[in-house]
């Protein structure tokens, strides 16, 4: 019978489909942010369709270059706000609300069994809730705005089972970096991944979001953790509508069965300039750091900031350290429980919720030759600034490196 | 869309990501010329000066991996690239290319930069240095979108015929 992907696409297509079938599927929620809605709105207008298919199912968060850094960005954002009003888009989240992939779960749109399409590659994050979340480009998003449907090739699925519990200071980020290193940057291209095993069951919602967020770094169309009590507890009082969790059948067909043991995992680091260039922190040559960045849709949640604060408590940072909460909700909680005070006392700088310097736009772009330890998901050449070097790590490793000024194992602090 | 595309090649390796195809700092505009002027800047800063209309880009595995930015496909299209051939594509880039009317084909082709190459989209064949390679032919409905010049004109035609 079916994998989670096959069953979600069967429901969304109104007929039974299996891997490799082409199908037209109805979209439950569509998301475009300030970066991608520019071209999506332009394409929608060019299609000469008068109104969007359903303004209650379109979500527009502003997160990529907010607040606007110059007149040109401000004008583009002005035009999107105008379109949002004209079309009566019901879910618009302006400057400071947070990163799209944090805002959708917080507002209860990331729901088990739903088909959620975002004009952003990290839309696979919603798989943490047992949804099929996937990214598309601007014109595909315009097509969804117009019709509420999109063509898909139903993906084959890779099953990943992770055994054992994570040790102290070892996080979901270390787990997913390890998986990316093993599977490779193109190891899951066109495919979906389902995650199982004790390690996954024990991950918080925050950790599951970190894990699923990086499925695209293996080329995957989606990365899915089946919904369980942890999921339902998070969704209590949040869910935007009713939902029906979807689980794989016992005889579901997987093209690969990937087993890992996470109980002896060490802190992991992805070296420049490839996401799958992953080693244990002990294998990283002594590397001087110029900037530490903790935040993004991968690692900007409360749990991540609290972990950084735990490492930085009663310490001082040796290098510039930029910390950006993933959303207003995260920032408020971190303010109320004292996490932000601890980070500020250590000498860190707190930015406003959003994507920050992850894609090299503003708020922490690095100079040629500079090294940044980042909790983000991509260390591509030039991403945070031409000629820069990005090392991907967990918030614990990033915080430890901020203290010493060198890439450091957090267990040594 | 031409059924057979012939052109001079530019050859790149594996995992050419969207940040090198068009760096993030050039995204905040709707001026296609800006994307074209910075196409492939992350790996070859002079690419936009050297590329000529009708040239063909040949990549390895996972071409266009990374971000959903459609500007990556637009940058190549407006720089004059007529077609992209690669062993495999990042799936969002693949969709974006078709949607903006940039032909592409999956094929594992061996060639050197500057070689003349011929891509037969309808039959899924690539010929270079007198050797024919069999690629993955695009499904007919995607060839249809390419023939219309992309998804926007395709959708407009459907709207007009309603």
């Amino acid at each position: 019978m079916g994998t989670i992907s096959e069953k979600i696409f069967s429901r969304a297509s109104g007929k039974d489909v299996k891997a490799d079938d082409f199908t037209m599927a109805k979209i439950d929620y569509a998301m475009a942010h300030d970066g991608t809605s520019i071209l999506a709105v332009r394409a929608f207008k060019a299609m000469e369709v008068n109104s969007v298919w359903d303004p209650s199912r379109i979500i527009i968060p502003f997160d990529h270059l907010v607040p606007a850094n110059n007149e040109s960005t401000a004008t583009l954002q002005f035009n999107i706000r105008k379109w949002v009003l004209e079309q009566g888009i019901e879910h618009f989240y302006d400057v400071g609300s947070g990163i799209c992939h944090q805002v959708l779960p917080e507002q209860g749109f990331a729901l088990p069994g739903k088909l959620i399409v975002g004009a952003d590659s990290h839309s696979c994050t919603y798989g943490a809730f047992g949804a099929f979340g996937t990214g598309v480009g601007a014109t595909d998003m315009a097509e969804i705005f117009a019709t509420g449907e999109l063509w898909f090739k139903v993906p084959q699925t890779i099953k990943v089972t992770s055994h054992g519990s994570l040790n102290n200071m070892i996080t979901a980020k270390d787990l997913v970096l390890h998986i990316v290193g093993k599977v490779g940057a193109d190891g899951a291209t066109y495919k979906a991944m389902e995650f199982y095993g004790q390690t996954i069951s024990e991950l918080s919602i925050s950790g599951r979001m970190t894990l699923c967020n990086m499925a695209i770094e293996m080329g995957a169309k989606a990365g899915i953790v089946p919904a369980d009590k942890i999921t339902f507890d998070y969704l209590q009082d949040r869910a935007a509508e009713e939902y029906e969790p979807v689980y794989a059948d016992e005889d579901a067909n997987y093209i690969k069965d990937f087993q890992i043991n996470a109980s002896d995992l060490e802190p992991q680091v992805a070296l420049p300039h490839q996401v799958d260039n992953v080693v244990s922190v002990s294998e990283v040559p002594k590397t001087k750091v110029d900037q530490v960045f903790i935040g993004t849709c991968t690692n900007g949640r409360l749990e991540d900031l609290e972990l950084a604060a735990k490492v930085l408590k009663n310490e001082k940072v040796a290098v510039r350290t930029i910390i950006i909460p993933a959303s207003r909700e995260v920032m408020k909680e971190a303010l109320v429980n004292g996490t932000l005070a601890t980070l500020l006392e250590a000498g860190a700088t707190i930015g406003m919720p959003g994507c920050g310097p992850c894609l090299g736009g503003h708020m922490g772009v690095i100079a040629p030759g500079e090294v940044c330890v980042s909790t983000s998901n991509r260390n591509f050449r030039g991403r945070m600034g031409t000629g820069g070097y990005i090392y991907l790590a967990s918030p614990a490793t990033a915080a430890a490196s901020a203290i010493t000024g060198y890439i450091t194992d957090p267990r040594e602090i | 869309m031409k059924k057979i595309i012939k052109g001079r090649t530019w050859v790149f390796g594996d995992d050419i990501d969207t940040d090198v195809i068009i760096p993030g700092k050039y995204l905040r505009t709707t001026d296609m010329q800006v994307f074209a002027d910075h196409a492939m800047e992350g790996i070859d800063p002079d690419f936009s000066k050297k590329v000529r209309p009708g040239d063909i880009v040949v990549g390895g595995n996972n071409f266009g991996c990374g971000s959903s930015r459609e500007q990556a496909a637009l940058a190549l299209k407006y720089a004059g690239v007529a077609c992209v051939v690669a062993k495999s594509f990042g799936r969002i880039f693949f969709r974006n290319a078709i949607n903006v009317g940039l032909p592409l084909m999956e094929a594992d082709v061996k060639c050197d930069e500057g070689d003349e190459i011929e891509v037969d989209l309808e039959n899924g064949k690539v010929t270079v240095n007198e050797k024919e390679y069999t690629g993955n032919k695009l499904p007919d409905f995607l060839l249809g979108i390419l023939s219309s010049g992309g998804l926007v004109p395709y959708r407009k035609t459907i709207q007009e015929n309603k």
Side-chain angles (χ1 to χ4, degrees):
Chain A
M1 291 295 288
T3 61
I4 294 176
S5 300
E6 288 171 324
K7 291 170 83 169
I8 291 179
F9 275 110
S10 292
R11 196 263 307 155
S13 308
K15 62 177 183 187
D16 278 344
V17 292
K18 56 185 192 318
D20 291 337
D21 288 349
F22 284 93
T23 190
M24 285 298 287
K26 286 194 181 352
I27 309 303
D28 292 304
Y29 292 106
M31 184 282 293
H33 52 65
D34 57 306
T36 47
S37 57
I38 300 167
L39 291 180
V41 168
R42 191 172 182 267
F44 175 80
K45 287 178 176 170
M47 286 173 177
E48 296 175 7
V49 178
N50 292 329
S51 47
V52 299
W53 113 94
D54 185 349
S56 72
R57 297 199 168 268
I58 297 173
I59 303 147
I60 313 271
F62 274 13
D63 58 3
H64 269 56
L65 214 53
V66 295
N69 60 337
N70 59 32
E71 291 101 333
S72 151
T73 308
T75 305
L76 292 166
Q77 293 183 357
F78 174 87
N79 291 334
I80 300 165
R81 288 191 188 95
K82 194 160 158 265
W83 181 82
V84 162
L85 272 176
E86 279 164 14
Q87 292 290 335
I89 304 297
E90 291 180 17
H91 311 292
F92 174 62
Y93 299 95
D94 210 328
V95 171
S97 305
I99 307 172
C100 53
H101 306 310
Q102 185 65 20
V103 169
L104 263 68
E106 285 176 358
Q107 300 296 326
F109 298 113
L111 296 169
K114 300 289 185 197
L115 174 56
I116 307 168
V117 179
D120 187 277
S121 59
H122 292 107
S123 302
C124 49
T125 309
Y126 316 133
F129 300 85
F132 191 97
T134 197
V136 297
T139 306
D140 271 334
M141 186 48 59
E143 174 80 358
I144 297 172
F145 288 168
T147 66
E149 297 184 352
L150 199 65
W151 72 266
F152 290 92
K153 187 175 180 184
V154 180
Q156 299 176 325
T157 300
I158 297 172
K159 183 176 188 178
V160 178
T161 307
S162 180
H163 305 279
S165 298
L166 296 173
N167 282 321
N168 184 35
M169 287 289 162
I170 311 300
T171 69
K173 183 60 165 293
D174 301 297
L175 176 66
V176 70
L177 285 176
H178 176 71
I179 295 172
V180 173
K182 293 288 173 207
V183 172
D186 65 347
T189 302
Y190 311 139
K191 298 177 178 62
M193 304 177 89
E194 289 179 12
F195 298 105
Y196 294 93
Q198 186 190 353
T199 329
I200 311 299
S201 304
E202 290 174 0
L203 286 180
S204 64
I205 275 295
S206 179
R208 293 174 187 188
M209 288 169 74
T210 304
L211 170 71
C212 294
N213 176 270
M214 290 193 70
I216 179 70
E217 308 314 331
M218 296 169 269
K221 194 178 275 194
I224 306 174
V225 175
D228 63 9
K229 186 172 180 305
I230 290 174
T231 324
F232 305 137
D233 285 350
Y234 181 86
L235 294 171
Q236 186 78 36
D237 303 326
R238 281 187 198 266
E241 64 173 323
E242 288 184 1
Y243 58 88
E244 182 92 22
V246 169
Y247 300 98
D249 293 318
E250 284 209 0
D251 56 352
N253 201 10
Y254 295 96
I255 54 149
K256 206 178 271 179
D257 193 346
F258 190 78
Q259 306 275 334
I260 47 176
N261 183 356
S263 57
D264 53 0
L265 194 65
E266 288 188 41
Q268 303 286 297
V269 177
L271 309 176
H273 300 283
Q274 282 160 279
V275 185
D276 59 358
N277 194 5
V278 176
V279 297
S280 292
V281 68
S282 57
E283 297 168 74
V284 180
K286 191 165 187 189
T287 306
K288 194 176 174 311
V289 175
D290 298 293
Q291 175 174 301
V292 168
F293 170 40
I294 298 172
T296 77
C297 54
T298 320
N299 276 130
R301 283 172 279 280
L302 186 65
E303 182 178 298
D304 303 315
L305 303 194
E306 286 175 343
L307 180 58
K310 190 175 162 190
V311 175
L312 287 168
K313 193 164 180 64
N314 300 324
E315 300 279 354
K316 287 285 177 206
V317 297
V319 297
R320 60 179 192 266
T321 301
I322 298 164
I323 300 180
I324 301 188
S327 71
R328 181 178 287 130
E329 180 178 314
V330 168
M331 190 166 191
K332 193 182 117 192
E333 287 175 2
L335 177 72
V336 169
N337 77 8
T339 300
L340 292 189
T342 304
L343 297 171
L344 287 165
E345 278 159 13
T349 297
I350 311 292
M352 64 160 274
C355 303
C358 172
L359 66 155
H362 63 165
M363 290 166 75
V365 175
I366 55 176
E370 281 197 320
V371 167
C372 181
V373 176
S374 171
T375 64
S376 64
N377 41 41
R378 287 195 178 130
N379 58 354
F380 295 161
R381 192 181 295 277
R383 182 167 169 92
M384 290 180 73
T386 309
Y389 295 84
I390 307 167
Y391 291 72
L392 304 179
S394 76
T397 303
S401 305
I403 295 167
T404 62
Y406 291 87
I407 292 174
T408 299
D409 186 332
R411 298 169 301 182
E412 289 170 6
I413 297 286
Chain B
M1 179 193 67
K2 284 194 225 161
K3 287 169 183 170
I4 296 192
I5 304 169
K6 288 183 193 176
R8 179 180 68 147
T9 57
W10 295 95
V11 180
F12 297 94
D14 292 335
D15 301 318
I16 298 298
D17 62 69
T18 48
D19 277 272
V20 309
I21 300 174
I22 180 78
K25 60 187 163 188
Y26 303 121
L27 300 180
R28 297 300 171 267
T29 176
T30 50
D31 182 354
M32 301 296 146
Q33 194 56 44
V34 173
F35 309 145
D37 288 346
H38 300 285
M40 304 305 279
E41 187 174 288
I43 192 163
D44 181 358
D46 295 325
F47 180 79
S48 68
K49 294 188 192 88
K50 298 185 296 192
V51 68
R52 289 198 304 252
D55 284 355
I56 291 173
V57 164
V58 177
N61 268 317
N62 210 19
F63 187 94
C65 61
S67 156
S68 69
R69 60 185 71 161
E70 201 158 282
Q71 293 92 335
L74 290 169
L76 294 177
K77 180 181 166 164
Y78 285 93
V81 172
C83 183
V84 185
V85 177
K87 199 170 165 189
S88 67
F89 290 94
R91 56 164 287 277
I92 308 180
F93 179 89
F94 181 89
R95 296 184 73 109
N96 287 345
I98 287 165
N99 288 344
V100 303
L102 172 67
L104 40 61
M105 194 188 318
E106 283 180 337
D108 188 6
V109 172
K110 304 269 176 296
C111 69
D112 293 320
E113 193 146 290
D115 286 350
E116 289 291 320
I117 192 170
E118 183 178 305
V119 183
D120 179 348
L121 288 172
E122 286 202 324
N123 294 300
K125 305 272 187 203
V126 180
T127 309
V128 59
N129 296 328
E130 293 170 8
K131 189 170 178 343
E132 187 180 88
Y133 297 85
T134 301
N136 266 337
K137 182 182 148 350
L138 291 173
D140 288 342
F141 79 101
L142 294 184
L143 284 171
I145 295 175
L146 277 177
S147 296
S148 303
L151 187 58
V152 170
Y154 182 79
R155 163 66 39 205
K156 266 173 81 173
T157 315
I158 291 175
Q159 295 293 125
E160 280 158 16
N161 294 339
K162 258 188 183 172

